[in-house]
Structures are given as structure tokens and as C-alpha cells.
Amino acid sequence: GMIAISVQLSDPYRVAGFVNAGSDVAIFYLPAVAPEDTNGPIVPDRVRVLLKRVLVLGVGSTSTTTKKTTVDATGQETTSEVPHTILTIAVSHQDAERVLFAEDEVIGHGELAFALLTDKSKVDYTKGVGADNVYAK
């Protein structure tokens, strides 16, 4: 009953290359930061677990097509290439819709991050983390 879909992730969001075919991963949703409007900042969505356990079917080759530019405190710009890899996962039809909605760059909803799991890993659905609860109590 599962289907295969592919997503493109940068190195940090795919556990720096430790995810391989046959790995189980949890998928986290990192929402895009909302811009400010005239009434003050818009509260962005929360970082949450999107799916608790997903099988990785395959890992494609890595490409460095995306460039990232950062500016330091002195105003100096540094440009670096960000490696991306396509990963294919097995999900239900409904979960495919969730994943594709969350990671679509055209819609601009955010990014996905994989967390590598073991047989004993525990991941739960929670209210997520936002500005109001980012610090541990």
C-alpha cells in the first residue's frame, strides 16, 4: 500500500550522509520564516515531527548546484556551494501529500530534515517548538 516519492535535502538535513537505502528516518518539518508585516512580526509555524518512521528506499548522487551567500558583521560576503541529495522514501498516499506540501519550494512552506533512527529510537508527535518554548525548562 505504500508509494515511493523523492525529496531533495542538503547535507545537514539528511544527517550528513549517514542515511542510506534501508535506513529508517523520522521526518521533521522546518517552516519557512514568515516575513514581518505592518502590525509586527508574523508568528511562524512550529518545528514539528511530520512523520515518525519512514523507510528510505534509495539515495541518489549528490550535487552542488545551490549557492549560499552569507554576510559577516563587517559586511563581507562569502559564497559557498551547498550539496543536495535526492532521497527516495516509501510512504502512504496521505503521507506523500504531507511531505510534498511541506518541502515544495515554489509554495515556499519550508524544509524537511531527516533524523536517523534505530530500532529503539522514540519519536512522538508533539505541539512542536516555536519561539515560546525553544528553551528547555
Side-chain angles (χ1 to χ4, degrees), residues 32-101:
V33 176
E36 290 188 13
D37 71 4
T38 56
N39 297 322
I42 297 171
V43 178
D45 203 348
R46 307 171 88 70
V47 173
R48 295 182 184 196
V49 172
L50 186 65
L51 300 173
K52 293 194 312 185
R53 188 170 290 269
V54 174
L55 175 64
V56 175
L57 297 174
V59 178
S61 59
T62 300
S63 65
T64 54
T65 57
T66 304
K67 294 189 183 238
K68 181 179 179 181
T69 302
T70 56
V71 180
D72 67 15
T74 65
Q76 183 174 353
E77 289 186 1
T78 304
T79 302
S80 59
E81 292 183 341
V82 180
H84 283 80
T85 302
I86 295 176
L87 295 102
T88 301
I89 56 177
V91 291
S92 69
H93 166 216
Q94 293 83 3
D95 288 344
E97 291 174 347
R98 288 180 182 92
V99 169
L100 295 172
F101 175 85

Side-chain angles (χ1 to χ4, degrees), residues 7 27-32 45 48 50-51 95-113:
V7 296
I27 301 178
F28 288 81
Y29 170 58
L30 294 79
D45 203 348
R48 295 182 184 196
L50 186 65
L51 300 173
D95 288 344
E97 291 174 347
R98 288 180 182 92
V99 169
L100 295 172
F101 175 85
E103 70 101 25
D104 186 82
E105 291 180 15
V106 175
I107 299 171
H109 291 135
E111 294 188 68
L112 300 176

Side-chain angles (χ1 to χ4, degrees), residues 3 73 75-76 129:
I3 61 175
Q76 183 174 353
V129 174

